[in-house]
Amino acid sequence: MIIEMKNVSFIRGDRVILDRIYWEVQENEQWVILGLNGSGKTSLLNIVLGYEYPTKGEVSVLGHRFGKTNLPELRKHIGFVSSSFERFQSTLESETVEAVIVSGKFASIGLYEPVTDEDFQQAEQWMDAFRIGHLKGKVYRTLSQGEKRKVLIARALMAKPKLLLLDEPTVGLDMLTREELLALIKDTTKGCHVLYVTHYIEEIIEEMTHVLLLKDGKIIAAGRKEKILTDDYLSETFQM
């Protein structure tokens, strides 16, 4: 079992952000999480990562049950890309591309642990795979939005994670860069399990096998994409 949630609710103040979530992700499943802004998509990912703790319910990720596991260690086996990384901008901006990518091995923003030459060689291999080898030595703040996103995905894959979380990774990208990024994501599904958060149905690539529809913190439907991507379910989810 990759992810298991039983009766999970997440409440902030008097606001119910996630409401009685039952959800399982099995081996060899690739999931898209669809919903409007404010539907609870990012909160769901934050709980999977252990950045948020459910108000009630049980969560297991990669066989580790929350409350009985070391979450910082667990995060080293989970890759994560999100526009929320902007809050770490001051740290990221002064780092070289290679340093940002290597930091993914330690699930940290910035390097605080010993790094080997082998780590930097591996980072360069990811740069070549993502066709950004020419950025070697450049400082992160000088990159374009598309280049930054590729660097962050390479960072997420640095630890060879079993689970990769992509939270609206194409936001703010032009059409060409978005298509390049989706092609890269297509390749990454061969090596790990992906949770892809978006509100654009056209971003559901062929390799994604399952869909979770969220609305107002509740699951509208979840399962194989051919059964979930119906007019009725999508109309209910997107209110149109």
Side-chain angles (χ1 to χ4, degrees), residues 200-216:
Y200 297 117
I201 296 169
E202 63 271 21
E203 290 186 1
I204 301 177
I205 57 177
E206 183 181 353
E207 285 69 19
M208 307 310 288
T209 59
H210 288 67
V211 174
L212 173 73
L213 300 179
L214 270 182
K215 177 187 175 186
D216 298 330

